[in-house]
């Protein structure tokens, strides 16, 4: 299995690197590449293993997304997020299940509802990856990421209940509701417990490498433990990641720098593999369709796909505007959405690898030994929905955003806020410097150091203003270079010269590589601070 997986993993990273270099949407390129490669007869068939997705790919991606999420923004938008993450998957499950039941004769009602639960949740990987690429506005990204972080828990729990009924396990609506509640409560409890434990452990560690290692292991352990106690592994990982994300700002600077680099690399590798695997499933899906009428599949595919789009559109539009008409509190506390924002949010419902994994996890037989009713059609319809939404939404979203005039550039707003925050931070630093100097014996050395610190503080404030000036559309294009910009340009040149001189010393055998790495680390930190502007 390791050899079978290594090829797609290497190919996925290489294709993603090329797409990023060419400024293309890596998720779409990977899906299309997977589809094309899957059609080549000489390429061995690569079947998706559900446990690989659910226990290996999904936990770290959820963890990474949770660490990057803003608890403040999620709390501020908790009402629409919960409607999207809980209400919409349930509505989609029922609607798609009903349509599939009447268009695919082989599906029982329980099997049709299983299909509905499989395709109900927009995927966490797809939503954030494509949303970042097309430049969705921040509030829409907050709603999409919040939805995708939590809706898997809803849909996968309903999936377990429907699947149990489809294979012959005695169950009912009451037992299904109990299962749902226990999964939610158990997942949150495990997430809170592990979050608190990891925060305590990391607070006592002083080695950034060990801290990063703990962070890498955490999502797998949390997901597995939650599933073992019949809780929601998705909820557990997300809750713990949100807790750690809030504490991340208090971590050591070296830990923050290392974690960010590590998780970006992990995210790239796993996202690339996930999207490539989607495309590579075409042979496996087609192989299972022997004897199935094409006309039935075509009608069912169109019906299910249209239902999926319609339910999301109606749900998003209804709950974006109707509650505001009924509640003065909502009108007072939540910003009014524009029709363009609502339309884009309704259109950004990409499905992904989790849906395919759930479909492939459907057993071949029921408990009685009979073939699972309509399993080939179920897997095929899932594949159509996943690939269809990725290509349709991914290819049309950039055009749609431009057509609707939706703002996609948050840089100027962020620069204004950063400039104000930088001024306050610089003022606090200057006040603290004066307090320290007043409490110590004055000396020429301390006075020179204080003057250097004041100059550095001023440069940082000017750098924030310089970035704002560059983003100001009213600024003159031929305006003179500011002192902050000149300092940055000249210091970067001198840093490059220092780095070259240090490397030359190593090359001539005057210092070894360990000394060189330690010296370069200091230069890298300074260059990183200069490039924050």
């Amino acid at each position: 299995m390791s050899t079978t997986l290594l090829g797609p993993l290497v190919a996925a990273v290489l294709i993603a690197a090329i797409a990023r270099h060419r400024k293309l949407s890596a998720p779409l390129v990977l899906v299309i590449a997977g589809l094309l490669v899957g059609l080549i007869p000489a390429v061995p068939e690569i079947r998706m293993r559900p446990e690989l997705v659910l226990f290996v790919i999904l936990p770290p991606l959820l963890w990474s997304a949770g660490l990057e999420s803003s608890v403040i923004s999620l709390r501020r938008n908790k009402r629409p997020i919960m409607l999207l993450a809980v209400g919409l998957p349930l509505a989609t499950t029922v609607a798609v299940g009903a349509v599939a039941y009447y268009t695919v004769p082989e599906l029982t009602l329980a099997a049709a509802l299983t299909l509905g639960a499989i395709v109900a949740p927009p995927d966490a990987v797809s939503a954030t990856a494509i949303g970042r690429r097309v430049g969705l506005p921040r509030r829409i990204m907050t709603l999409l990421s919040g939805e995708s972080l939590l809706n898997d828990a809803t849909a996968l729990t309903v999936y377990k209940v429907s699947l149990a009924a489809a294979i012959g396990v005695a169950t009912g609506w009451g037992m299904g509701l109990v299962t749902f509640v226990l999964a939610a409560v158990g997942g949150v409890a495990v997430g809170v417990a592990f979050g608190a434990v990891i925060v305590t452990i990391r607070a006592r560690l002083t080695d950034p490498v060990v801290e990063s290692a703990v962070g890498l292991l955490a999502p797998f352990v949390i997901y597995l433990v939650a599933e073992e106690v019949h809780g929601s592994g998705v909820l557990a990982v997300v809750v713990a990641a949100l807790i750690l994300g809030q504490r991340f700002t208090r971590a050591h600077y070296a830990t923050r720098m290392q974690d960010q680099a590590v998780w970006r690399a992990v995210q790239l590798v796993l996202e690339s593999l996930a999207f490539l695997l989607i495309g590579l499933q075409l042979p496996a899906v087609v192989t299972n369709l022997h004897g199935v009428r094409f006309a039935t599949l075509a009608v069912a595919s169109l019906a299910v796909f249209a239902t999926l789009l319609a339910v999301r559109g109606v749900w998003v539009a209804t709950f974006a505007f109707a509650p505001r008409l009924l509640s003065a509190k909502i009108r007072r506390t939540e910003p009014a959405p524009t029709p363009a924002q609502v339309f884009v949010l309704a259109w950004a419902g990409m499905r992904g690898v989790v849906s395919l994994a759930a479909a492939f996890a459907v057993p071949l037989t029921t408990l009685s030994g009979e073939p699972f009713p309509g399993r080939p059609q179920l897997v095929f319809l899932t594949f159509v929905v996943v690939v269809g939404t990725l290509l349709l939404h991914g290819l049309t979203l950039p055009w749609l955003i431009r057509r609707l005039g939706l703002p996609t550039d948050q840089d100027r707003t962020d620069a204004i806020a950063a400039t104000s925050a930088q001024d306050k931070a610089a003022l606090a630093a200057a006040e603290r410097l004066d307090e320290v100097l007043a409490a110590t014996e004055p000396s020429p050395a301390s006075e020179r150091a204080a003057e250097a610190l004041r100059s550095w503080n001023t440069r940082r404030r000017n750098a924030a203003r310089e970035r704002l000036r560059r983003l100001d559309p009213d600024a003159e294009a031929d305006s003179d270079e500011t002192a902050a910009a000149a300092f940055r340009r000249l210091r970067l040149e001198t840093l490059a010269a220092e780095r070259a001189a240090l490397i030359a010393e190593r090359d001539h055998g005057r210092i070894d590589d360990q000394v060189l790495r330690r010296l370069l680390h200091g230069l890298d930190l300074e260059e990183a601070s200069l490039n924050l502007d």
Side-chain angles (χ1 to χ4, degrees):
M1 175 182 173
S2 59
T3 305
T4 305
L5 184 61
L6 181 60
L9 187 62
V10 173
V13 174
L14 290 176
I15 294 171
I18 295 171
R20 288 162 66 95
H21 178 70
R22 297 290 184 181
K23 306 298 182 184
L24 301 174
S25 174
L28 298 182
V29 172
L30 284 160
V31 171
I32 294 172
L35 288 171
L36 295 176
V37 171
L39 294 174
I40 300 175
V43 175
E45 183 178 312
I46 300 174
R47 288 181 176 266
M48 179 183 293
R49 298 176 65 90
E51 60 271 20
L52 170 68
V53 175
L54 297 178
F55 288 91
V56 177
I57 295 179
L58 183 60
L61 288 178
L62 288 171
W63 182 263
S64 177
L67 290 177
E68 294 178 355
S69 298
S70 168
V71 174
I72 296 175
S73 296
L74 294 177
R75 188 182 297 124
R76 187 180 297 138
N77 296 281
K78 61 181 179 297
R79 186 191 66 83
I81 287 175
M82 293 308 295
L83 286 170
L84 291 170
V86 178
L88 181 53
L90 294 176
T92 304
T93 297
V94 173
V96 170
V99 170
Y101 178 66
Y102 286 108
T103 56
V104 182
E106 293 82 0
L107 289 176
T108 63
L109 180 58
L113 289 174
T114 302
L115 171 64
I118 288 172
V119 300
D123 190 61
V125 180
S126 309
T128 55
I130 294 182
R132 285 194 304 267
R133 171 63 189 169
V134 302
L136 289 176
R138 181 165 296 165
R139 185 161 190 266
I140 294 180
M141 280 298 295
T142 297
L143 296 178
L144 282 176
S145 60
E147 174 193 9
S148 61
L149 282 173
L150 301 173
N151 62 10
D152 282 339
T154 303
L156 290 178
T157 303
V158 176
Y159 163 77
K160 291 178 182 178
V161 175
S162 301
L163 184 62
I167 64 175
V169 176
T171 185
W173 292 109
M175 182 59 67
L177 181 60
V178 170
T179 301
F180 184 88
V181 172
L182 288 178
V185 173
V188 172
V190 171
V192 170
F194 270 94
V197 170
I198 296 172
V199 165
T200 302
I201 292 174
R202 294 188 68 164
R204 286 164 171 73
L205 294 174
T206 58
D207 188 340
V209 175
V210 176
E211 288 192 58
S212 292
V214 171
L216 283 172
L217 292 175
F220 303 105
V221 175
I222 294 171
Y223 190 94
L224 182 60
V225 170
E227 291 293 319
E228 286 294 322
V229 300
H230 303 292
S232 168
V234 172
L235 269 181
V237 171
V238 169
V239 169
L242 289 174
I243 293 173
L244 267 293
Q246 280 295 97
R247 304 285 299 183
F248 191 61
T249 53
R250 297 179 176 86
H252 192 273
Y253 80 92
T255 301
R256 284 198 301 273
M257 292 181 66
Q258 182 164 275
D259 273 6
Q260 288 170 350
V262 166
W263 280 111
R264 283 173 185 168
V266 170
Q267 195 171 9
L268 173 65
V269 171
L270 295 181
E271 282 184 358
S272 301
L273 177 62
F275 285 115
L276 186 66
L277 283 176
I278 290 173
L280 289 173
Q281 298 317 296
L282 181 59
V285 173
V286 173
T287 301
N288 295 330
L289 293 176
H290 293 305
V292 180
R293 293 182 56 199
F294 175 79
T296 302
L297 282 178
V299 171
S301 298
L302 288 174
V304 167
F305 195 80
T307 302
L308 200 74
L309 299 182
V311 170
R312 183 173 181 87
V314 171
W315 184 275
V316 171
T318 300
F319 287 99
F321 297 115
R324 299 187 62 82
L325 299 176
L326 303 175
S327 172
K329 181 181 179 182
I330 292 177
R331 292 195 297 271
R332 189 171 58 253
T333 58
E334 296 183 11
T338 66
Q341 290 174 331
V342 173
F343 193 87
V344 168
L345 183 63
W347 194 246
M350 289 78 71
R351 270 60 178 178
V353 68
V354 173
S355 293
L356 270 183
F360 279 104
V362 172
L364 296 175
T365 61
T366 64
L367 292 181
S368 64
E370 297 291 325
F372 188 94
R375 186 181 186 277
Q377 294 91 328
L378 182 150
V379 175
F380 177 79
L381 290 173
T382 302
F383 184 83
V384 168
V385 166
V386 170
V387 175
T389 54
L390 281 175
L391 296 180
L392 176 64
H393 298 318
L395 291 173
T396 59
L397 264 177
W399 172 85
L400 183 64
I401 292 172
R402 291 192 300 270
R403 184 70 177 174
L404 295 174
L406 206 62
T408 60
D409 189 358
Q410 191 76 21
D411 286 348
R412 175 164 170 75
T413 303
D414 288 348
I416 294 173
T419 301
S420 176
Q422 188 71 50
D423 280 340
K424 293 177 182 177
L427 180 60
E431 290 176 351
R432 180 56 183 163
L433 179 60
D434 291 338
E435 291 174 2
V436 173
L437 291 175
T440 58
E441 188 72 23
S443 67
S446 62
E447 290 176 1
R448 288 194 299 270
E451 184 60 32
L453 286 171
R454 289 191 181 97
S455 297
W456 178 258
N457 207 19
T458 301
R459 193 202 68 78
R460 294 296 299 153
R461 295 176 67 185
N462 291 338
R465 291 193 178 93
E466 165 66 16
R467 183 170 187 270
L468 179 60
R469 186 190 66 81
R470 292 198 304 268
L471 293 170
D472 191 345
D474 298 326
E476 298 180 7
D478 58 349
S479 58
D480 294 335
E481 185 179 38
T482 64
F487 179 92
R488 177 178 178 277
R489 176 175 57 82
L490 295 173
R491 185 54 183 144
L492 287 174
E493 292 289 344
T494 57
L495 281 173
E498 289 182 44
R499 187 176 288 108
L502 291 174
I503 294 173
E505 288 295 294
R506 188 277 312 272
D507 292 343
H508 286 92
R510 299 186 183 101
I511 59 174
D512 64 21
D513 281 300
Q514 289 189 357
V515 175
L516 175 64
R517 292 190 189 101
R518 187 163 60 249
L519 294 172
L520 290 182
H521 181 66
L523 299 183
D524 292 342
L525 290 175
E526 186 174 353
E527 184 170 355
S529 70
L530 290 169
N531 285 320
L532 286 175
D533 309 333

